[in-house]
Amino acid sequence: MLLKKPRNIALRIFLSAVPRLSFVVAAFIIASAATVSATAAPIALPALPEPVSNNAVASVTINDTQYVFSFMGLGKGKTHNDVHNRAWQLVINNKDKPLQWQALPPVPSSLALKGRLASVAVGVKDSVYIFGGYTVDEHHNEISTPDVYKYSPTTGEYTLLAPMPVPVDDATALVYQDRYVYLVSGWHNDGNVNLVQAYDTQTGQWQQASPFLGNPVFGQAGGIVNNTMVICDGVSVTPHSDKRRSFAAETACFKGVIDNKNPLKIDWRTLKHPTGTARYRMAAAGDKATNKIYFVGGSTNPYNYNGIGYNGEPSNADSAIWTFDIAEETWVISKTEAVAPTMDHRGLIDINGTWVTIGGMLGAQRVTSKVTSHFSALAEASCSLTQQASSDVSSQSSDGQADERVKTTPNLECQHQNNINGEK
């Protein structure tokens, strides 16, 4: 009988429900914003057991448990004797049990010197892959290592994999389809390379992808979301007729789009730089949840591994955060929420929606053990929902930065609003 009622009666019923539907939608948006804030419970993140910089960092999630890693790097003395191969693991258990870094077996090496700098690490499914880096001896000789190791958190073992065709350090490592790892540019023993070396974690084979079209660089940073990657800055080599080569900051950003049918084909395009001033050894990563790529910290003065610039001047960390919106192709510039900016990084890690760096250098080139919270992507999502629902919805801010421990509480001040188009 109800299905046979006149259409105008049904229409009146629908129209009478519209205000209620609008109210329900608004309430849902407000509730969603509150849920984001409520579920992003603070997690106290302890400092590493020792200060370390230029360390390879990575994260994997296995059975809803996140594992965060720090491999190798430079100790607080900042000499060749302080380059090591020690490794640490932090299990994010989301329980009341205090978190604590656990020592892992040292990272193996095929070279005589075991400690390495400028390695990169990435998480793929339930394993971590560690690539390259370089050793430094007492005479400051540096060798790029071909080593590739897979570390399994479940077994605690390293497995030696096929070596890199061209050993590189200070490269950028990006993961595509949870299978392919791209090593973009980087330094090889005596100079930079423009290669994009692609490693297939399923077959264990190396292949060459479309080469990087920018000037070959080391110390650059980049991130990837789906099939779009962005690479920015680093250091290029300048030749001279009357003296040895020199190094110069490379102010340039490039967007690479991976072909959906051929993972070895990358369409490289130039991208407007966010500031016009290059940074060296930033921490960067892509975020699928926001469809954005973040660049954090680094220094505007490229430097040797001890933090002293190639120009002889001490380098300092930059406080800026660059955010590239892939859909809009625009940059947003903001500042870190941390008490002090950081530099000398190999990666940016997402822990419960808060993006952190692990170790690195603070002011006066001081090597730190801190896990530094820089910003929260959840805050951005909360701001968006709040603005749609009501301007009266309040939010609270806390960066939780402590001397040796931080809390991953999102900052909800909605402050990322400055939009802009567009020896080694």
Side-chain angles (χ1 to χ4, degrees), residues 80-336:
H80 72 278
N81 289 322
D82 299 292
V83 180
H84 64 76
N85 64 339
R86 294 186 288 278
W88 304 91
Q89 169 185 279
L90 180 67
V91 180
I92 310 297
N93 52 34
N94 295 307
K95 298 178 181 178
D96 294 332
K97 182 180 178 181
L99 303 181
Q100 185 175 4
W101 288 92
Q102 305 164 349
L104 299 179
V107 181
S109 175
S110 64
L111 302 181
L113 293 176
K114 303 305 178 185
R116 301 205 296 275
L117 297 174
S119 299
V120 285
V122 293
V124 180
K125 295 182 179 177
D126 61 354
S127 299
V128 179
Y129 292 79
I130 308 165
F131 299 89
Y134 69 93
T135 62
V136 186
D137 67 15
E138 58 184 338
H139 303 294
H140 303 289
N141 297 312
E142 301 174 0
I143 299 177
S144 302
T145 177
D147 288 352
V148 179
Y149 282 93
K150 180 175 74 171
Y151 177 76
S152 171
T154 56
T155 65
E157 296 179 346
Y158 296 95
T159 302
L160 181 63
L161 304 176
M164 283 179 279
V166 178
V168 291
D169 57 72
D170 254 321
T172 300
L174 304 173
V175 179
Y176 175 57
Q177 291 184 340
D178 214 16
R179 172 178 177 177
Y180 302 98
V181 182
Y182 298 87
L183 297 184
V184 182
S185 202
W187 179 270
H188 169 66
N189 286 336
D190 297 310
N192 291 326
V193 299
N194 70 338
L195 302 176
V196 177
Q197 303 182 84
Y199 180 74
D200 188 336
T201 61
Q202 287 188 12
T203 65
Q205 294 181 339
W206 285 96
Q207 291 180 283
Q208 297 298 329
S210 302
F212 182 59
L213 292 187
N215 284 335
V217 286
F218 68 85
Q220 71 280 12
I224 185 170
V225 176
N226 297 321
N227 69 333
T228 301
M229 62 179 76
V230 173
I231 304 292
C232 283
D233 296 349
V235 171
S236 58
V237 179
T238 303
H240 303 281
S241 62
D242 58 346
K243 62 179 180 180
R244 197 168 184 264
R245 69 189 177 203
S246 62
F247 300 120
E250 182 73 13
T251 306
C253 290
F254 292 85
K255 183 178 75 170
V257 178
I258 304 168
D259 188 278
N260 290 325
K261 297 180 180 179
N262 183 358
L264 300 179
K265 185 177 181 180
I266 303 173
D267 180 10
W268 289 104
R269 304 288 179 94
T270 57
L271 195 63
K272 184 176 180 180
H273 196 274
T275 65
T277 301
R279 287 192 290 172
Y280 177 65
R281 286 183 179 166
M282 295 181 280
D287 183 8
K288 287 186 178 180
T290 61
N291 199 35
K292 295 176 181 179
I293 297 175
Y294 305 107
F295 297 80
V296 175
S299 177
T300 57
N301 184 36
Y303 51 86
N304 210 325
Y305 63 84
N306 59 4
I308 303 301
Y310 296 116
N311 59 5
E313 298 295 326
S315 298
N316 294 304
D318 193 287
S319 63
I321 296 174
W322 302 342
T323 301
F324 181 73
D325 188 310
I326 295 175
E328 299 295 330
E329 291 207 341
T330 56
W331 289 99
V332 170
I333 302 173
S334 57
K335 286 190 175 182
T336 178

Side-chain angles (χ1 to χ4, degrees), residues 397-411:
S397 169
S398 171
D399 58 22
Q401 179 72 34
D403 183 43
E404 290 297 341
R405 183 178 291 260
V406 299
K407 292 184 178 180
T408 61
T409 306
N411 185 319

